[in-house]
Amino acid sequence: MKYENVSALVRWTRRHIEITSLTLLGIIVVAVWTLAELTDEVVEGSTRNLDRDILLLLRAPSDLSDPIGPWWLEEMGRDITALGGVAVLTLTTLIVSMFFLLLRRWASVLYILVTVGGGILISSIAKDYFDRPRPDLVPHDAIVHTASFPSGHAMMAAIVYLSLGVLIARVQPRFVLKLYVMSVAILLTLFVGVSRIYMGVHWPTDVAAGWLAGGAWAMICLIVARILARRGYMDAETLEDAG
């Protein structure tokens, strides 16, 4: 009964696409406003103590070079942070793009390239503009060579995993599969961001800004995709039979 109620709610939401679009637009506005406020606080230095306290909380008090937890947790942190790296995200983007090429969904492939490419451009411009130094309180457990704000790993993980998750979810007919795909995409995004703080290579506000910027860009692209789908330029979402 609960599953039927959820399915009915989802079908109602799809029939009232304007409401869904307005909801997404409202989320984007909130995310952009929050990002602007956070950026202003970072520029003014108001977040310095909060960043410092959170970063030190993840380190052993007796040895700041040692992240809290057993050795295998630190190893897992390195593995997880790689999920937001250039190599993994590029490979993931190419694999999913090939999936849609095989389905002959050319518009979806173009959507992926524009979304990911635009995200890379935005991230690069933001890093160069703010030029925030990396944390110097603790040793870095990963190699870094760019500015700190916003976190490129957190931002690009949000853009790639959320955008690809949406596209994959669109071709799944069952609601439970759509929910699973999007849940995995969100968890991957969160894990990558947290791992950057745990590795000591980003201030917490860097990661928060990356999540907000990446999520907002992914949702903006999603709204554009929904508009294009309504006008016939992209394939419509696969829906579960109301049966």
Side-chain angles (χ1 to χ4, degrees):
M1 180 63 68
K2 291 183 178 179
Y3 177 73
E4 292 177 355
N5 292 337
V6 172
S7 297
L9 177 61
V10 171
R11 288 194 295 271
W12 181 90
T13 302
R14 287 166 182 156
R15 287 195 299 270
H16 298 77
I17 190 170
E18 292 81 7
I19 295 178
T20 305
S21 298
L22 286 175
T23 301
L24 288 173
L25 183 59
I27 295 175
I28 292 172
V29 170
V30 171
V32 172
W33 178 82
T34 304
L35 177 61
E37 290 293 323
L38 176 62
T39 301
D40 185 59
E41 294 295 321
V42 169
V43 170
E44 292 181 356
S46 302
T47 63
R48 186 178 297 110
N49 290 336
L50 176 63
D51 278 329
R52 181 181 182 278
D53 291 344
I54 295 177
L55 202 62
L56 292 180
L57 188 64
L58 299 177
R59 296 280 162 157
S62 58
D63 183 5
L64 295 183
S65 66
D66 181 26
I68 60 172
W71 65 267
W72 52 263
L73 183 61
E74 185 175 351
E75 190 67 23
M76 285 179 60
R78 293 192 183 94
D79 293 338
I80 292 175
T81 203
L83 295 177
V86 174
V88 174
L89 293 181
T90 299
L91 185 60
T92 302
T93 300
L94 291 176
I95 290 173
V96 177
S97 297
M98 181 58 66
F99 171 76
F100 284 103
L101 279 175
L102 294 175
L103 290 177
R104 298 182 182 275
R105 298 200 174 195
W106 320 116
S108 295
V109 176
L110 181 60
Y111 169 81
I112 293 173
L113 297 178
V114 171
T115 301
V116 176
I120 293 174
L121 181 62
I122 294 172
S123 177
S124 299
I125 292 175
K127 281 181 173 291
D128 290 340
Y129 179 79
F130 292 105
D131 196 27
R132 188 187 195 188
R134 295 277 179 167
D136 55 1
L137 290 175
V138 299
H140 299 165
D141 288 333
I143 298 175
V144 291
H145 53 82
T146 59
S148 192
F149 185 90
S151 167
H153 276 63
M155 181 175 175
M156 291 310 302
I159 291 173
V160 172
Y161 291 128
L162 294 181
S163 297
L164 298 185
V166 166
L167 285 179
I168 295 174
R170 283 174 59 85
V171 301
Q172 304 302 319
R174 297 176 57 194
F175 172 73
V176 65
L177 293 178
K178 296 177 185 291
L179 180 62
Y180 171 75
V181 170
M182 290 310 302
S183 297
V184 170
I186 292 172
L187 285 175
L188 285 175
T189 300
L190 294 176
F191 286 160
V192 168
V194 171
S195 72
R196 300 304 284 173
I197 304 173
Y198 185 70
M199 293 288 100
V201 296
H202 273 297
W203 301 106
T205 47
D206 297 335
V207 171
W211 281 336
L212 288 169
W217 176 247
M219 285 187 286
I220 289 172
C221 293
L222 172 58
I223 289 181
V224 173
R226 291 169 66 89
I227 294 174
L228 293 176
R230 291 186 66 188
R231 297 182 177 180
Y233 296 109
M234 287 187 67
D235 294 323
E237 181 180 2
T238 302
L239 304 180
E240 187 172 9
D241 186 4

